[in-house]
Amino acid sequence: MDNKSIESGLSDEQRAAVADLARTNEYAKQSKWKTLRELPNNEKLPFFVQHFLIATIAIVAVVALVISLVVFYATRPPSAKLTVATFGLSEYSDQLEDLRRDFAAAHADEDERVFAVDPFTITSRVNADESVSASPSASASSPDGSADAGGSGDMTGVGSSSLLGNSYLDDSAKLSARMAAGEINALAASRDMFAELLQRNAVNDLSAALSDEQINAFGDAVVYADDLVPSAEHRAVGLDLGKSGTWTAKGLPADAVFGFGNVTLGTEWPLAFVDFLKFQ
């Protein structure tokens, strides 16, 4: 049976459909972009959606992400050379800001971002029966700032399973991450919160940044671990801010303690702040 015999049994519409299928696709061997340009206007949108829409969305998303990252890093202020994490002192934000400005002004030749105060909220508590003993941070660093192989200095106690209480608004994870990144190496806290930080291994012994002679020079301003946590070993862990002329002159609470945290990355600025506090 020849083609003519087949066609004779088809309607006009069927013959037109067969002819359309048999026609060579004039766009088959050219690029999709060229095809898009040459298509009639009413066929361009469906063709674009079918062949280019997903790729276009992906490209736009990547470009937007790259631009946002460039803008973020280009406009981000320089990191502060010293950030003091504060605990239990939220009601003294104005006084702490005055303290920050005065310290920054005293080191204006260094950097206008020399000092930042970063408040943290700790709502959970370490189980006293599981709290650290002996000297968890004594070997975190030596007075010259070098790391000691016997200590981690990484605040591993924060966020551990030994914490009790509601942690929904707790900044433990944030504090742990920032200290591990070396962004925080000094702490100021109310006396009870300092005891909490001590049990979390967040506080270095004073010997991590000061020599024995320097520690002894602070006299009764030195705070010992067993003064805060009776089960702890007798070791110097902080400085009584009630003995600081600078601190008390700002109207900040006398019942607060200053300490070092994660000083393995450097002690220059924490020690400069200690000098600024003028312990009596």
Side-chain angles (χ1 to χ4, degrees):
M1 184 178 294
D2 57 21
N3 291 338
K4 291 183 178 180
S5 300
I6 295 175
E7 292 179 1
S8 63
L10 299 176
S11 65
D12 291 342
E13 290 182 359
Q14 289 172 327
R15 283 196 294 271
V18 170
D20 187 59
L21 291 172
R23 187 173 66 246
T24 301
N25 184 356
E26 61 184 291
Y27 303 115
K29 295 183 179 181
Q30 65 185 27
S31 71
K32 289 185 175 63
W33 281 112
K34 185 176 181 181
T35 300
L36 179 65
R37 290 196 300 271
E38 295 179 355
L39 284 173
N41 289 335
N42 63 335
E43 295 181 18
K44 286 184 177 180
L45 181 60
F47 186 86
F48 177 84
V49 171
Q50 180 180 356
H51 295 282
F52 297 106
L53 183 60
I54 294 178
T56 301
I57 292 174
I59 292 171
V60 170
V62 170
V63 171
L65 177 61
V66 171
I67 291 174
S68 65
L69 289 174
V70 170
V71 171
F72 172 76
Y73 284 106
T75 60
R76 184 176 61 171
S79 299
K81 296 185 177 183
L82 171 68
T83 299
V84 178
T86 62
F87 305 82
L89 301 173
S90 57
E91 61 186 286
Y92 298 97
S93 57
D94 291 341
Q95 294 93 324
L96 288 168
E97 175 58 20
D98 285 344
L99 189 75
R100 186 201 68 78
R101 280 198 296 262
D102 285 355
F103 182 79
H107 298 83
D109 57 325
E110 296 286 348
D111 195 313
E112 63 181 17
R113 285 282 299 171
V114 71
F115 177 32
V117 175
D118 202 343
F120 287 82
T121 300
I122 301 294
T123 59
S124 55
R125 290 292 185 270
V126 171
N127 186 333
D129 295 333
E130 299 179 9
S131 62
V132 296
S133 59
S135 180
S137 58
S139 60
S141 73
S142 60
D144 64 0
S146 60
D148 184 302
S152 62
D154 62 357
M155 196 183 167
T156 54
V158 174
S160 70
S161 60
S162 64
L163 301 183
L164 302 176
N166 179 12
S167 60
Y168 182 69
L169 298 176
D170 190 274
D171 286 334
S172 294
K174 171 187 170 185
L175 177 64
S176 180
R178 294 197 59 193
M179 289 189 77
E183 296 178 5
I184 293 171
N185 52 12
L187 312 112
S190 59
R191 198 172 181 86
D192 64 323
M193 285 307 307
F194 198 88
E196 173 68 22
L197 295 168
L198 180 63
Q199 293 181 91
R200 291 168 175 241
N201 294 347
V203 180
N204 291 132
D205 289 0
L206 292 186
S207 60
L210 301 168
S211 67
D212 290 342
E213 183 180 358
Q214 289 173 313
I215 294 172
N216 292 334
F218 285 105
D220 60 0
V222 177
V223 176
Y224 294 91
D226 51 337
D227 292 336
L228 302 169
V229 182
S231 60
E233 179 184 311
H234 183 74
R235 63 189 196 277
V237 294
L239 295 170
D240 184 353
L241 286 166
K243 308 285 186 186
S244 163
T246 306
W247 181 269
T248 54
K250 293 293 182 184
L252 287 158
D255 187 24
V257 181
F258 172 85
F260 301 111
N262 193 33
V263 297
T264 57
L265 298 181
T267 61
E268 176 186 358
W269 287 100
L271 290 178
F273 187 59
V274 169
D275 290 340
F276 170 77
L277 288 173
K278 298 187 185 325
F279 286 94
Q280 303 167 347

